């Protein structure tokens, strides 16, 4: 599947702006990358595309490499000390590792490192030196990550963080390179309250102004004046990251051991079973189709698609189940790729359902009632304690699931709960070893202890939604309300102030231009830039899968007039979020 959205834009920028820009017919080159640039590269470019542009080998700058002094090297690296030192080392001896260097930094190179390159022997062989402004990972077509899982600790640790200013500056630069790559010059807004939101918004504003000076075409085009960047903190919605989600992608990442988007399972052939590893990403069209669907619909949909596929290939199927699939594979080896894909997703859905049925169906009901403050009939909860005690006393429920329930109970109470009550809940649930997760949420500004340090802080009001949904998926992330309000220009300017006044918008003209330009990109290649406005959202401290899903849902609801792009320092699962919270009162390990 051709990459679309963010991935396509970044892939095109790297292939055209870096590799093709130094390509010469008949000359091969070596491509040297570091950890961050390799992650960016592998998220949006296929190795075959890179090799087709005259690159003979891709190497890691931090590993020992054989010198190839007859070839020129393209260095695609982040401007950090480790990578720059390794670059200088390649040319420090009389015999250079490569014939010449084309250096492309992912973002702005600090003056100190730039001066070091100038003083070194690299300066004699450098043929290109550019900053390409891609200091983020395009995780999905509408989701980005800054690849920094330690971010929650950096922002909200109980320990004073001397490096916080530097970290804010780096973060702001990374967000600015995202806007630059998307050719957006958005109005910047932030959630009022937490000082880090205002500080980060201000830093991003300064950097965007500098980028605009270097690249005046940023933000030009019909409707672009309406684009906005919103900065929000994780404490704004502590509920979405801890709920058990029943949509496919979120559920799989929550319940199964998926590492770096790789799902491993045992595929059963005739008489033998072997481990299969599958990457769940946008190259898999079936995954893109299924990932935001409710689990109850996923198995039905896969089976239906499989049936259609088999009928189109004149293969007869009675029941599309796993046994049939392995039989079909034997009969039709030429369709191995397609059949394996169906098999993977049936496996994935089955494994999710198995885990869910074993222990979660009752739990999900309690969670949804607490989060919504009402049962499925819409009647307010009379005695939430009655709902949670059986869960807390049940020895079969895992500690983290109990913590998720206790937190939802506290948020339901709005004003926090008394310390004695909390101590009782912790004792009932027998989670003393992990109880600091609950109190550490106070570092994010959440009201946990009644009358405590966050007294008076409340979670936002939620929109009334009438559309029908599954009873165990009634919760809608707060950020979805914010996305819809921002697009309809209904977002409260007192609660979401602008850093500088947005450009005045002539609404009559806008409507005409969106009708004229709204669909122009449909027949063009996915990498051509859209003309409509974008809403870009950055969440400090991690973004959850349900919030990612909201970006696609809101984009779809505008019929493509708007595109919502959401991102964060990293992608959260409920377990990783609770682990991050657990570490907030620990002293960091200097070696990490």
């Amino acid at each position: 599947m051709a990459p679309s959205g963010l991935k396509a834009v970044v892939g095109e920028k790297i292939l055209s702006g870096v590799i093709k820009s130094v390509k010469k017919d008949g000359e091969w080159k070596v491509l040297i990358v570091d950890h961050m640039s390799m992650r960016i590269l592998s998220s949006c470019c296929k190795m075959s595309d890179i090799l087709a542009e005259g690159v003979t080998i891709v190497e890691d700058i931090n590993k020992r490499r054989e010198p190839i002094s007859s070839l020129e090297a393209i260095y695609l690296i982040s401007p950090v000390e480790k990578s720059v030192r390794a670059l200088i080392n390649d040319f420090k001896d009389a015999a250079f590792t490569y014939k010449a260097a084309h250096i492309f930094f992912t973002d702005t190179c600090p003056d100190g490192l730039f001066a070091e390159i100038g003083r070194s022997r690299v300066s004699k062989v450098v043929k290109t030196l550019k900053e390409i402004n891609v200091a983020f990972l395009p995780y999905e077509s509408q989701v980005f990550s800054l690849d920094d899982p330690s971010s929650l600790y950096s922002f909200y640790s109980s320990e004073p963080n001397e490096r916080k200013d530097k970290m804010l500056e780096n973060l702001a630069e990374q967000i600015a390179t995202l806007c630059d790559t998307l050719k957006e010059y958005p109005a910047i807004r932030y959630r009022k309250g937490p000082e880090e939101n205002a500080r980060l918004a201000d830093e991003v504003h300064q950097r965007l102004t500098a980028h605009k000076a270097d690249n005046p075409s940023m933000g030009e085009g019909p409707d672009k004046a309406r684009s906005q960047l919103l900065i929000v903190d994780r404490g704004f919605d502590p509920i979405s990251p801890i709920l058990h989600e029943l949509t496919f992608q979120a559920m799989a990442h929550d319940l199964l051991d998926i590492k770096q988007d790789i799902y491993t399972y045992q595929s059963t052939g005739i008489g033998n079973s072997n481990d299969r590893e599958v990457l769940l990403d946008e190259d898999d069209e079936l995954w893109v189709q299924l990932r935001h669907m409710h689990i109850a619909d996923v198995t039905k949909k896969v089976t239906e698609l499989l049936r259609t596929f088999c009928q189109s290939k004149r293969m007869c199927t009675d029941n599309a189940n796993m046994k049939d699939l392995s039989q079909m594979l034997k009969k039709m080896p030429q369709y191995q790729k397609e059949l394996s894909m169906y098999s993977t997703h049936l496996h994935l859905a089955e494994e999710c359902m198995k885990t869910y049925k074993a222990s979660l169906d009752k739990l999900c009901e309690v969670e949804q009632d607490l989060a919504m403050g009402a049962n499925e009939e819409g009647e307010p909860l009379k005695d939430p304690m009655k709902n949670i005690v059986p869960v807390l006393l049940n020895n079969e429920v895992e500690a983290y699931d109990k913590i998720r329930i206790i937190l939802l109970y506290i948020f339901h109470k709005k004003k926090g709960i008394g310390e004695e009550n909390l101590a009782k809940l912790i004792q009932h649930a027998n989670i003393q070893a992990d109880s600091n997760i609950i109190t550490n949420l106070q570092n994010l500004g959440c009201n946990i202890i009644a009358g405590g340090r966050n007294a008076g802080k409340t979670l936002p009001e939620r929109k009334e939604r009438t559309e029908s949904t599954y009873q165990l998926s009634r919760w809608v992330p707060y950020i979805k309300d914010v996305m819809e309000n921002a697009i309809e220009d209904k977002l409260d300017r007192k609660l979401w102030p602008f850093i500088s006044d947005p450009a005045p918008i002539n609404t009559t003209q806008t409507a005409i231009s969106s009708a004229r330009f709204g669909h122009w990109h449909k027949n063009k290649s996915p990498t051509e830039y859209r003309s409509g406005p974008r809403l870009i959202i950055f969440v400090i401290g991690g973004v959850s899968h349900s919030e990612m899903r909201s970006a696609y849902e809101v984009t779809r609801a505008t019929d493509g007039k708007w595109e919502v792009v959401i991102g964060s320092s990293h992608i959260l699962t409920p377990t990783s979020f609770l682990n991050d919270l657990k570490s907030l009162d620990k002293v960091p390990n200097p070696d990490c």
Side-chain angles (χ1 to χ4, degrees):
M1 186 172 175
S4 61
L6 257 186
K7 288 193 163 200
V9 173
V10 175
E12 177 63 23
K13 195 169 182 179
I14 289 174
L15 280 175
S16 297
V18 177
I19 296 168
K20 288 182 187 171
S21 72
V22 295
K23 182 182 176 186
K24 274 200 185 137
D25 281 349
E27 268 188 31
W28 290 94
K29 290 195 171 54
V30 182
L31 178 61
I32 312 290
V33 292
D34 59 11
H35 175 73
M36 180 65 178
S37 63
M38 186 62 202
R39 300 258 298 152
I40 295 169
L41 203 60
S42 48
S43 70
C44 60
C45 293
K46 285 197 168 60
M47 194 53 94
S48 54
D49 296 338
I50 295 167
L51 299 178
E53 297 301 339
V55 168
T56 171
I57 185 171
V58 180
E59 299 229 68
D60 181 338
I61 196 164
N62 295 310
K63 295 210 169 104
R64 234 192 110 262
R65 289 162 280 127
E66 288 298 318
I68 313 178
S69 54
S70 58
L71 297 185
E72 295 183 355
I74 301 170
Y75 287 85
L76 176 59
I77 53 178
S78 28
V80 295
E81 205 166 304
K82 191 177 178 190
S83 300
V84 171
R85 292 275 153 80
L87 159 71
I88 290 170
N89 263 345
D90 282 351
F91 297 95
K92 75 173 195 312
D93 298 329
F96 292 162
T97 311
Y98 306 106
K99 188 169 152 189
H102 300 271
I103 305 165
F104 294 88
F105 285 121
T106 50
D107 59 312
T108 315
C109 183
D111 294 344
L113 290 176
F114 194 79
E116 269 188 60
I117 295 173
R119 287 194 298 271
S120 73
R121 298 176 69 173
V122 177
S123 58
K124 297 197 172 41
V125 292
V126 69
K127 285 192 168 180
T128 316
L129 184 54
K130 280 188 182 162
E131 292 159 349
I132 63 161
N133 295 323
V134 181
F136 60 91
L137 281 186
Y139 182 71
E140 286 179 2
S141 57
Q142 288 173 234
V143 180
F144 65 94
S145 153
L146 305 185
D147 206 25
D148 178 15
S150 63
S151 180
L152 196 82
Y153 185 89
S154 312
F155 270 97
Y156 301 112
S157 153
S158 311
E159 299 294 315
N161 182 356
E162 299 84 41
R163 305 212 317 272
K164 193 166 177 178
D165 288 350
K166 186 81 197 106
M167 186 199 66
L168 267 169
E169 289 167 21
N170 289 344
L171 210 55
E173 181 55 42
Q174 288 182 279
I175 297 169
T177 71
L178 170 84
C179 297
D180 184 312
T181 298
L182 291 173
K183 294 196 177 353
E184 294 286 357
Y185 186 59
I188 301 172
R189 303 175 78 167
Y190 60 94
R191 181 172 92 101
K192 199 170 174 59
E195 62 143 352
E196 63 269 15
N197 295 356
R199 282 190 57 198
L200 182 57
D202 196 50
E203 288 283 352
V204 174
H205 179 62
Q206 289 173 34
R207 279 162 180 71
L208 269 184
T209 311
H211 276 265
K212 173 81 171 162
D214 290 343
N215 183 359
S217 68
M218 249 172 86
E220 289 189 355
D223 275 7
K224 284 292 190 199
R226 301 167 73 198
S227 291
Q228 290 187 12
L229 165 66
L230 301 186
I231 290 181
V232 57
D233 53 293
R234 188 60 276 166
F236 166 69
D237 177 4
I239 294 176
S240 297
I242 59 174
L243 275 175
H244 277 96
E245 263 278 318
L246 299 184
T247 48
F248 198 29
Q249 180 184 33
M251 192 177 188
H253 279 274
D254 182 7
L255 304 183
L256 311 179
D257 189 23
I258 293 174
K259 289 199 171 64
Q260 299 211 311
D261 300 327
I262 293 171
Y263 169 54
T264 310
Y265 70 100
Q266 284 211 324
S267 68
T268 47
I270 304 297
N272 65 342
S273 67
N274 50 352
D275 275 356
R276 281 204 62 200
E277 283 193 349
V278 182
L279 180 63
L280 300 173
D281 73 356
E282 291 181 328
D283 285 339
D284 178 340
E285 293 179 39
L286 195 53
W287 174 245
V288 174
Q289 218 176 332
L290 302 170
R291 64 185 170 188
H292 299 142
M293 288 171 78
H294 191 281
I295 192 69
D297 301 326
V298 170
T299 317
K300 277 194 294 222
K301 184 75 179 168
V302 182
T303 313
E304 186 187 303
L305 288 168
L306 178 57
R307 223 174 243 133
T308 314
F309 175 76
C310 294
Q311 283 161 358
S312 72
K313 302 291 181 249
R314 301 209 161 48
M315 296 151 68
C316 58
T317 62
D318 310 325
N319 251 335
N321 61 22
M322 298 316 256
K323 286 195 192 67
D324 278 353
L325 267 178
S326 50
Q327 292 288 0
M328 278 186 228
L329 266 171
K330 279 208 142 52
K331 284 186 208 148
M332 300 278 202
Q334 69 272 40
Y335 298 125
Q336 167 127 20
K337 186 174 167 240
E338 291 90 339
L339 293 172
S340 303
M341 194 163 69
Y342 291 115
S343 152
T344 297
H345 292 294
L346 279 170
H347 250 287
L348 190 56
E350 246 173 44
E351 210 179 327
C352 285
M353 279 312 283
K354 207 158 83 191
T355 315
Y356 167 75
K357 283 182 173 147
S359 57
L360 293 180
D361 45 357
K362 283 280 171 287
L363 203 61
C364 287
E365 194 176 334
V366 177
E367 286 183 0
Q368 288 291 321
D369 290 355
L370 288 170
M372 300 300 292
N375 65 13
E376 58 175 305
E377 276 80 40
E379 297 158 355
L381 289 189
K382 290 190 182 69
D383 182 6
M385 189 56 93
K386 207 164 78 189
N387 297 34
I388 71 169
V389 168
V391 176
L392 302 186
L393 295 175
N394 184 343
N395 293 332
E396 287 175 7
V397 177
E398 290 180 19
Y400 269 24
D401 286 338
K402 290 181 179 181
I403 289 171
R404 287 159 79 167
I405 290 281
I406 292 175
L407 286 172
L408 289 166
Y409 171 74
I410 295 172
F411 297 137
H412 169 70
K413 287 302 215 188
K414 304 265 192 286
K415 294 179 178 170
I417 61 174
E419 291 200 55
E420 281 178 26
N421 280 354
L422 179 58
K424 274 188 198 145
L425 290 176
I426 289 167
Q427 196 179 345
H428 279 320
N430 197 14
I431 51 154
Q432 289 82 345
D434 296 317
S435 62
N436 68 330
I437 292 176
I438 299 169
T439 44
N440 283 350
L441 251 170
Q442 294 175 104
N443 291 15
L444 276 65
C446 299
N447 199 348
I448 301 292
I449 307 291
R453 58 179 166 157
N454 294 322
K457 290 188 182 175
T458 53
L459 293 175
E461 287 298 308
R462 303 186 61 245
K463 254 189 192 181
E464 280 295 315
R465 292 183 184 268
T466 48
E467 62 257 39
S468 64
T469 173
Y470 283 94
Q471 86 174 67
L472 297 184
S473 296
R474 285 172 283 146
W475 172 260
V476 174
Y478 284 124
I479 202 77
K480 189 171 182 184
D481 297 352
V482 172
M483 291 169 180
E484 291 171 346
N485 289 340
I487 283 173
E488 291 162 17
D489 204 17
K490 290 180 184 162
L491 203 54
D492 187 327
R493 293 186 177 213
K494 289 194 187 71
L495 300 177
W496 295 86
F498 285 90
I499 281 285
S500 57
D501 283 337
I505 293 160
N506 176 346
T507 42
T508 49
Q509 193 248 323
T510 312
I512 300 161
S513 64
S514 33
R516 252 181 47 216
F517 294 99
H519 303 291
W520 72 290
H521 55 285
K522 284 198 171 157
N523 347 344
K524 305 220 170 188
S525 75
T527 49
E528 296 212 25
Y529 295 95
R530 44 176 289 114
S531 70
R534 277 194 181 91
L535 175 65
I536 302 168
I537 294 179
F538 182 78
V539 187
I540 294 174
V543 64
S544 69
H545 287 95
S546 55
E547 292 165 323
M548 287 158 48
R549 188 185 76 246
S550 301
Y552 293 91
E553 289 170 350
V554 173
T555 302
R556 232 187 348 268
T558 69
D559 286 334
K561 288 193 183 71
W562 278 78
E563 181 178 67
V564 183
V565 174
I566 190 167
S568 181
S569 47
H570 59 307
I571 314 293
L572 292 175
T573 65
T575 305
S576 74
F577 182 50
L578 296 186
N579 285 339
D580 287 349
L581 289 170
K582 191 172 165 59
S583 72
L584 290 185
D585 54 2
K586 306 275 187 290
V587 178
N589 177 349
D591 303 331
C592 282

